[in-house]
Amino acid sequence: MQLRQTNLRKLPESVFDVLVIGAGINGASAAAALSGKGARVALIDRGDFAGSTSMQSSNLVWGGIKYMESGDFALVRKLCKSRNHLIKSYPSTVQEIRFLTTINKGFRHHPLYPWAGTWLYWLMGSGFTRRPHFLRAADIKAREPIIDTDDALGGFEYSDAYLHDNDARFVFNFVRGALDFGAVAANYVESLGSRREGELWVTRGRDVIDGDTFEIRSKVLINAAGPWVDQHNALSGQQTEHRHVFSKGIHLIVPRLTEHRRVLAFFADDGRLFFVIPMGARTCIGTTDTRVDSPEVEVTDDDIQFVLDNINKRLALETPLSPADIIATRCGVRPLAVRPSNGGERDFLNLSRKHAIDIDREARHLSIFGGKLTDCLNVGEEVVEEVGRLGVTLPHPRYRWYGEPAVSLRETFMHQARLMALDAMTAAHASEPLSLRLWRRYGAQALEVLEDIRQDPRQGEVLIAGTEYLRGELKLTRRREMVTRLEDFLRRRSKISQVVPQATIRTSPGLREACDILFGDQAEARMAEYFADAPETHDERLGEGT
């Protein structure tokens, strides 16, 4: 936790060009973009990085095919381009995946109609992915025997993309990039409100861990608080053109349903797309779409039953899924940007995740509404452009602030890994070779893990039973990833708590050693804190927001 303590001391000591409040995908990408181009940036979040909506996604990076039906073609084209750019920029993390969609009798369109739509979708994506294919019911059954095709009229396959790791990890890597560019970032720092003093914003911050308060000064203030943007604007006296409405979505994590690496897509009983998504040794199913008035949400019995009913209707499983099969849940809200004048006019299910940035130029204040993982690079670039217009000097305007390290560095890592026979150390239950996983997760810093293993082969051993995490990874995590609570590691820097049953985590012989590495003399307290807060059932509540 030394990195966090160092940054906490720095926050009140400087006048920053920009303070970003909220470290979900919008805030993290904005901070990485600005700091990469030379701005002096501070980033705070009242919970952990990616601790709210950004850790509750489906892990899909898609071009918004659902918006085709509502005719929002400009948004689809933009999102397709963004998806393609992410695949090219993060080839180890954002990868093309096939979607197999089944159309049953009674659907509002014949299968040929949405199949034609997938061709238009492919063209709008510049033909970047594999071509769509029409499928008869027999073809669907041959590809995925677990699909119940008794009522199927046909279907189609097309391509989009997904995150090979988890969403929160993807967001954190933007935060880590911002830190590498010189930003000062700290998790568990709550903004108690901001005020203007002359030419500066003064934000009163509170360390959530020990209660200390202090002030952070900045020329520009960016409100990227996700679902809590409106609440923070009220604290700082900002009036905006947009506001948020909220849609609650849940996913269930269950044992792997199919060996094939593709997404199965259906239309749920409420008419929206419903997915079966691969997650290594597990499967993620959902989602719901329930309008709610508050961003504080939890999984209900009705939510679980809706997902189970829909999946059991559409899959021919030997034994239908039941609540006993649920390993973990994901539950969060989608903050949807609307204008108060028309927010209630459009069909709620058709509201898009298109982001909007409201700007108070006189006060030098930005509010980011909506957004999604697919659009993160656009958000970063747009924020840079707007902050530049507000008079902040960006010394390196052409610097490329995103993407994986250079191919030459990757080859250096892979060559060293081959010489060490690193992949021979891959755990038997692992979903991929160890070298690929370390590179995707840590990039250039993966070389540090290799060096630790060279010096001490025990650093290459899996530490927590049932996971793929090495002892050496925990050492790197302690140095670079600002893990403050055990949940930060188990849920967000990794996805251990999403794929390993809570009872297994609790009894893992390596967990205490992992806590010793991460927290030193606070290990016992952090374990007790985690298990005191851990749900007795599979209900996983929304993390602290910004």
Side-chain angles (χ1 to χ4, degrees):
M1 294 170 59
Q2 181 178 346
L3 177 59
R4 180 175 182 272
Q5 293 303 317
T6 299
N7 282 1
L8 284 174
R9 289 193 295 270
K10 291 179 180 179
L11 285 172
E13 293 176 350
S14 303
V15 175
F16 295 94
D17 291 324
V18 181
L19 169 63
V20 181
I21 297 174
I25 188 58
N26 288 339
S29 58
L34 288 164
S35 55
K37 293 178 185 293
R40 292 169 297 169
V41 176
L43 172 67
I44 61 173
D45 193 297
R46 83 174 185 194
D48 188 27
F49 307 121
S52 180
T53 294
S54 293
M55 72 172 188
Q56 308 289 7
S57 80
S58 62
N59 282 355
L60 298 179
V61 178
W62 60 324
I65 193 170
K66 63 172 284 189
Y67 307 129
M68 299 274 292
E69 191 169 12
S70 58
D72 209 343
F73 297 120
L75 176 61
V76 173
R77 170 64 174 161
K78 182 179 181 181
L79 291 177
C80 282
K81 290 171 66 177
S82 300
R83 176 204 64 196
N84 297 350
H85 194 39
L86 283 171
I87 292 172
K88 289 186 288 187
S89 301
Y90 296 94
S92 300
T93 301
V94 183
Q95 298 177 352
E96 180 178 347
I97 192 169
R98 296 296 273 179
F99 283 61
L100 193 163
T101 304
T102 303
I103 304 296
N104 287 333
K105 297 171 184 175
F107 185 64
R108 57 186 178 271
H109 301 298
H110 187 278
L112 289 173
Y113 182 84
W115 172 66
T118 64
W119 275 96
L120 179 58
Y121 186 62
W122 180 75
L123 291 169
M124 293 179 77
S126 303
F128 183 81
T129 58
R130 293 167 57 192
R131 295 180 180 181
H133 294 294
F134 182 79
L135 301 173
R136 298 169 301 168
D139 299 326
I140 295 171
K141 196 69 174 177
R143 282 170 165 78
E144 288 289 354
I146 67 166
I147 296 178
D148 184 348
T149 57
D150 287 349
D151 291 328
L153 293 174
F156 45 88
E157 258 195 346
Y158 68 99
S159 287
D160 255 314
Y162 85 132
L163 293 173
H164 193 71
D165 222 323
N166 63 324
D167 44 11
R169 179 79 209 183
F170 183 68
V171 173
F172 174 76
N173 282 341
F174 282 112
V175 176
R176 184 61 252 184
L179 288 165
D180 292 341
F181 296 139
V184 177
N187 51 2
Y188 298 101
V189 175
E190 179 182 15
S191 169
L192 300 177
S194 305
R195 67 184 187 276
R196 290 287 288 176
E197 285 189 2
E199 294 299 309
L200 296 178
W201 280 100
V202 179
T203 299
R204 187 164 172 248
R206 182 179 74 90
D207 183 346
V208 173
I209 303 300
D210 64 18
D212 288 348
T213 60
F214 49 88
E215 292 184 335
I216 309 169
R217 288 170 168 78
S218 62
K219 298 174 185 176
V220 173
L221 184 65
I222 296 180
N223 180 358
W228 291 271
V229 164
D230 296 304
Q231 290 183 20
H232 196 274
N233 278 339
L235 290 176
S236 55
Q238 282 291 303
Q239 301 293 321
T240 56
E241 181 182 359
H242 292 84
R243 65 176 178 86
H244 275 143
V245 296
F246 305 116
S247 166
K248 183 179 80 168
I250 79 153
H251 295 83
L252 307 181
I253 313 299
V254 298
R256 183 162 53 196
L257 299 179
T258 174
E259 296 294 324
H260 300 112
R261 185 177 164 271
R262 62 163 64 91
V263 175
L264 309 184
F266 308 93
F267 286 91
D269 292 345
D270 65 0
R272 65 172 283 115
L273 280 167
F274 188 87
F275 298 111
V276 175
I277 305 165
M279 187 182 275
R282 308 300 183 197
T283 295
C284 177
I285 55 176
T287 180
T288 59
D289 201 341
T290 309
R291 188 161 188 168
V292 293
D293 296 325
S294 167
E296 284 81 18
V297 293
E298 61 183 32
V299 179
T300 67
D301 290 342
D302 287 344
D303 294 329
I304 291 174
Q305 199 58 52
F306 174 85
V307 174
L308 292 178
D309 286 347
N310 272 279
I311 199 62
N312 286 328
K313 282 181 185 178
R314 290 157 178 83
L315 297 184
L317 301 173
E318 289 186 14
T319 303
L321 290 173
S322 73
D325 295 303
I326 301 170
I327 297 165
T329 64
R330 300 163 78 87
C331 176
V333 295
R334 306 171 187 90
L336 308 172
V338 299
R339 290 183 173 88
S341 59
N342 63 9
E345 299 298 324
R346 190 174 178 183
D347 176 14
F348 177 69
L349 291 179
N350 284 328
L351 285 174
S352 80
R353 291 289 304 278
K354 185 177 181 180
H355 73 268
I357 302 177
D358 283 5
I359 303 163
D360 182 339
R361 299 195 181 280
E362 183 177 353
R364 298 207 284 186
H365 183 283
L366 281 71
S367 302
I368 307 177
F369 293 89
K372 57 190 299 170
L373 290 170
T374 310
D375 216 17
C376 62
L377 301 186
N378 292 328
V379 170
E381 292 291 353
E382 289 173 31
V383 167
V384 164
E385 185 177 346
E386 295 298 343
V387 167
R389 289 174 180 167
L390 295 177
V392 172
T393 300
L394 300 170
H396 310 289
R398 299 187 182 279
Y399 185 80
R400 190 174 187 266
W401 52 274
Y402 56 86
E404 291 185 13
V407 173
S408 59
L409 189 58
R410 183 182 189 277
E411 268 307 306
T412 296
F413 169 77
M414 290 298 178
H415 183 60
Q416 290 190 27
R418 286 191 292 269
L419 293 174
M420 291 175 60
L422 182 70
D423 287 343
M425 303 168 64
T426 304
H429 63 275
S431 58
E432 62 183 334
L434 186 54
S435 58
L436 293 179
R437 185 175 66 79
L438 291 179
W439 175 258
R440 183 185 68 253
R441 191 164 287 161
Y442 306 111
Q445 279 65 52
L447 288 161
E448 296 182 31
V449 180
L450 293 188
E451 183 59 30
D452 284 343
I453 294 172
R454 268 194 288 265
Q455 294 186 24
D456 177 9
R458 291 180 66 250
Q459 301 304 314
E461 297 173 356
V462 171
L463 185 55
I464 303 174
T467 77
E468 300 179 23
Y469 273 80
L470 310 181
R471 186 175 278 107
E473 289 182 81
L474 272 295
K475 292 177 63 177
L476 184 66
T477 297
R478 179 191 63 202
R479 291 195 299 268
R480 292 182 52 84
E481 300 194 354
M482 214 177 294
V483 169
T484 305
R485 292 174 167 164
L486 183 53
E487 185 193 12
D488 302 341
F489 172 69
L490 292 178
R491 175 64 177 87
R492 288 177 285 278
R493 305 302 181 272
S494 75
K495 60 178 183 232
I496 290 173
S497 67
Q498 290 279 281
V499 298
V500 178
Q502 194 68 227
T504 303
I505 295 174
R506 188 185 293 268
T507 58
S508 171
L511 183 62
R512 176 53 196 262
E513 183 183 347
C515 287
D516 287 338
I517 294 171
L518 292 172
F519 305 115
D521 58 9
Q522 295 185 28
E524 189 69 36
R526 291 307 177 201
M527 283 186 66
E529 174 188 61
Y530 176 77
F531 288 114
D533 294 338
E536 293 299 323
T537 66
H538 298 293
D539 176 21
E540 176 181 293
R541 299 191 176 194
L542 186 70
E544 286 188 87
T546 51

